[in-house]
Amino acid sequence: MEIALECAKKVKGKTAPNPAVGAIIVKDEQIIGKGATGAVGENHAEINALLGAGELSDGADLYVSLEPCSHYGKTPPCTDAIIKAGIKRVFIACLDPNPQVAGRGTEKLRAAGIEVETGILADEATRLNEDFFWYITRKKPFVAAKLALTLDNKIADDFGNSQWITCEKSRQHTHFLRSIYSSIAVGNGTLSADNPQLTVRGIEGAKDPVRIVFASDKNAGQGSFFRQNAKNHRSILVLRGIDKYREIDKDGVEIWATGESDYKDVFLSFLEIAGSEEIDSVLLEGGSKLIANALEARAINRLFLFYATKILGGNAHGLQLNSPLQLSAPITLEKTETQTLGSDILLSGLVRYS
């Protein structure tokens, strides 16, 4: 199953709107087929593994990181192919919460006389596709937020310098994060200060995410890379404080006016619209105000905090809420993960609200 999960990890970010799945086929203690989910409309992991094994699949075992589908979508049901191939046993990491599957795949396999075992490395498999699981059950994007901070919670010095807080390895990892989420969002302050490209660089085969900016002015970002390249790649401006409407402006920027004035309500309205547009995940990259508003809207699912081993002092605070919370009712991180990236430390975890 670890090998199946490694196959899935290699295609993470390249399979949307489908989950990233890996599969291997084993016979006589030898791997005879490997597969991972292709791009939308292409083969699922199980089919690619079966194609690799060929006729040797008869009587073999299948290990797959997610429950095989049992319905017709853009491709036929994987369960039918597994049964036809003569697979003897199927080992599944976790069940698929997609209402079109949700246990039906395992039921169909068992009904065909195939032995099925589930729950092998389930936590690891769930972590890999947490964004897909969230979206498929709620029809709202999974929201991750990323901040680069000093040890004393600063995102810049008091002299206006913010590049670079973290080291090169952390910046490379940020591009990996961009590659696995379907959209990337910043506030107008970050757009004005940094003119970010909001693209993926250095990740082979990765697609650029949808670019999103939160602002109060429909003309925000004049002269920016965001505006100048809007006709080449989907770019969205989410507005607050005006009547609700949708349009595409002369630069090719999609305008999503939420009709809300409160920052938290703007973000919640954005999630509703994005879900209806099949944007299944979003990575917030700043600034700190946008992330604070999303936290206070109880809308962030995962935090990525890149800590540089530096102390700057000053007033350029990073992770800071607009209103303080009581110690008895904090926002917490659960299932935390730490990673060393050069001289930096990455702390990540699921956000839990009291």
Side-chain angles (χ1 to χ4, degrees), residues 3 22 27 78 82-83 97 101 118 127 130 138 164 173 200 203 208 233 252 270 302-303 309 317 329:
I3 297 170
K27 192 172 188 179
C78 291
I82 294 168
I83 294 167
V101 185
T118 64
R127 167 71 175 90
E130 62 186 6
R138 295 168 175 83
W164 297 98
H173 194 75
V200 179
I203 307 293
D208 286 336
H233 191 75
F270 155 73
R302 177 172 289 277
L303 274 175
T309 50
H317 302 297

Side-chain angles (χ1 to χ4, degrees), residues 99-139:
Q100 292 183 300
V101 185
R104 294 182 181 88
T106 58
E107 290 174 5
K108 192 170 185 178
L109 294 173
R110 287 184 174 122
I114 297 174
E115 181 182 338
V116 178
E117 185 176 339
T118 64
I120 304 166
L121 299 183
D123 288 346
E124 292 86 340
T126 300
R127 167 71 175 90
L128 179 66
N129 283 308
E130 62 186 6
D131 48 349
F132 169 79
F133 291 170
W134 179 270
Y135 177 76
I136 203 68
T137 56
R138 295 168 175 83
K139 297 304 178 185

Side-chain angles (χ1 to χ4, degrees), residues 186-196 198 213-215 220-222 224-227 237 286-287:
V186 297
N188 187 44
T190 298
L191 182 70
S192 300
D194 299 337
N195 189 21
L198 307 180
V213 173
F214 287 79
Q222 294 299 315
S224 67
F225 182 93
F226 169 79
R227 273 201 175 274
L237 191 64

Side-chain angles (χ1 to χ4, degrees), residues 146-147 155 162-163 178 184-198 212-214 221 224 284-291:
K146 169 258 173 184
L147 277 172
I155 56 175
S162 61
Q163 296 181 347
R178 290 180 179 182
I184 180 172
V186 297
N188 187 44
T190 298
L191 182 70
S192 300
D194 299 337
N195 189 21
Q197 295 184 32
L198 307 180
I212 300 170
V213 173
F214 287 79
S224 67
L284 305 182
E285 278 206 19
S288 56
K289 184 176 180 180
L290 173 62
I291 292 174

Side-chain angles (χ1 to χ4, degrees), residues 23-350:
I24 65 168
I25 297 174
V26 176
K27 192 172 188 179
D28 299 327
E29 299 185 357
Q30 298 293 320
I31 296 174
I32 60 173
K34 283 186 181 181
T37 305
V40 62
E42 296 180 358
N43 290 336
H44 290 186
E46 302 93 319
I47 304 303
N48 285 327
L50 289 169
L51 289 172
E55 294 181 357
L56 293 176
S57 298
D58 189 18
D61 296 336
L62 168 68
Y63 292 78
V64 62
S65 61
L66 185 65
E67 178 182 15
C69 65
S70 56
H71 65 286
Y72 280 88
K74 289 184 168 56
T75 58
C78 291
T79 51
D80 291 0
I82 294 168
I83 294 167
K84 184 178 180 180
I87 292 292
K88 181 180 179 181
R89 296 186 298 179
V90 176
F91 299 91
I92 300 169
C94 62
L95 299 182
D96 190 343
N98 183 343
Q100 292 183 300
V101 185
R104 294 182 181 88
T106 58
E107 290 174 5
K108 192 170 185 178
L109 294 173
R110 287 184 174 122
I114 297 174
E115 181 182 338
V116 178
E117 185 176 339
T118 64
I120 304 166
L121 299 183
D123 288 346
E124 292 86 340
T126 300
R127 167 71 175 90
L128 179 66
N129 283 308
E130 62 186 6
D131 48 349
F132 169 79
F133 291 170
W134 179 270
Y135 177 76
I136 203 68
T137 56
R138 295 168 175 83
K139 297 304 178 185
K140 294 180 183 179
F142 181 93
V143 180
K146 169 258 173 184
L147 277 172
L149 308 158
T150 63
L151 292 177
D152 58 341
N153 192 39
K154 302 301 184 294
I155 56 175
D157 63 25
D158 273 12
F159 307 96
N161 303 305
S162 61
Q163 296 181 347
W164 297 98
I165 291 289
T166 51
C167 70
E168 177 64 25
K169 284 192 175 181
S170 288
R171 298 197 293 276
Q172 290 173 355
H173 194 75
T174 294
H175 283 283
F176 166 73
L177 293 180
R178 290 180 179 182
S179 77
I180 65 174
Y181 291 102
S182 60
S183 65
I184 180 172
V186 297
N188 187 44
T190 298
L191 182 70
S192 300
D194 299 337
N195 189 21
Q197 295 184 32
L198 307 180
T199 56
V200 179
R201 299 183 292 280
I203 307 293
E204 184 178 354
K207 298 178 181 179
D208 286 336
V210 175
R211 296 189 283 258
I212 300 170
V213 173
F214 287 79
S216 299
D217 180 3
K218 66 181 295 184
N219 296 309
Q222 294 299 315
S224 67
F225 182 93
F226 169 79
R227 273 201 175 274
Q228 291 174 344
N229 291 273
K231 291 181 179 178
N232 301 324
H233 191 75
R234 191 177 188 186
S235 302
I236 300 167
L237 191 64
V238 181
L239 297 182
R240 62 176 287 270
I242 56 177
D243 293 338
K244 188 173 184 177
Y245 75 94
R246 298 269 299 274
E247 71 173 18
I248 299 178
D249 69 14
K250 60 181 178 58
D251 294 322
V253 175
E254 293 182 39
I255 306 296
W256 293 5
T258 63
E260 305 288 352
S261 56
D262 181 83
Y263 286 103
K264 291 181 287 187
D265 291 337
V266 169
F267 198 82
L268 293 174
S269 178
F270 155 73
L271 292 180
E272 294 284 351
I273 301 171
S276 69
E277 290 284 313
E278 297 185 344
I279 295 175
D280 59 9
S281 60
V282 57
L283 175 65
L284 305 182
E285 278 206 19
S288 56
K289 184 176 180 180
L290 173 62
I291 292 174
N293 291 331
L295 276 173
E296 293 187 342
R298 305 169 72 89
I300 292 179
N301 301 95
R302 177 172 289 277
L303 274 175
F304 293 98
L305 303 175
F306 291 79
Y307 283 102
T309 50
K310 304 171 183 175
I311 296 174
L312 291 177
N315 297 308
H317 302 297
L319 190 60
Q320 184 173 0
L321 298 178
N322 299 309
S323 302
L325 301 175
Q326 294 185 10
L327 186 59
S328 59
I331 295 172
T332 58
L333 288 188
E334 296 184 353
K335 297 185 178 180
T336 55
E337 304 164 1
T338 57
Q339 182 177 353
T340 300
L341 296 166
S343 58
D344 300 336
I345 299 168
L346 170 58
L347 171 65
S348 173
L350 291 173

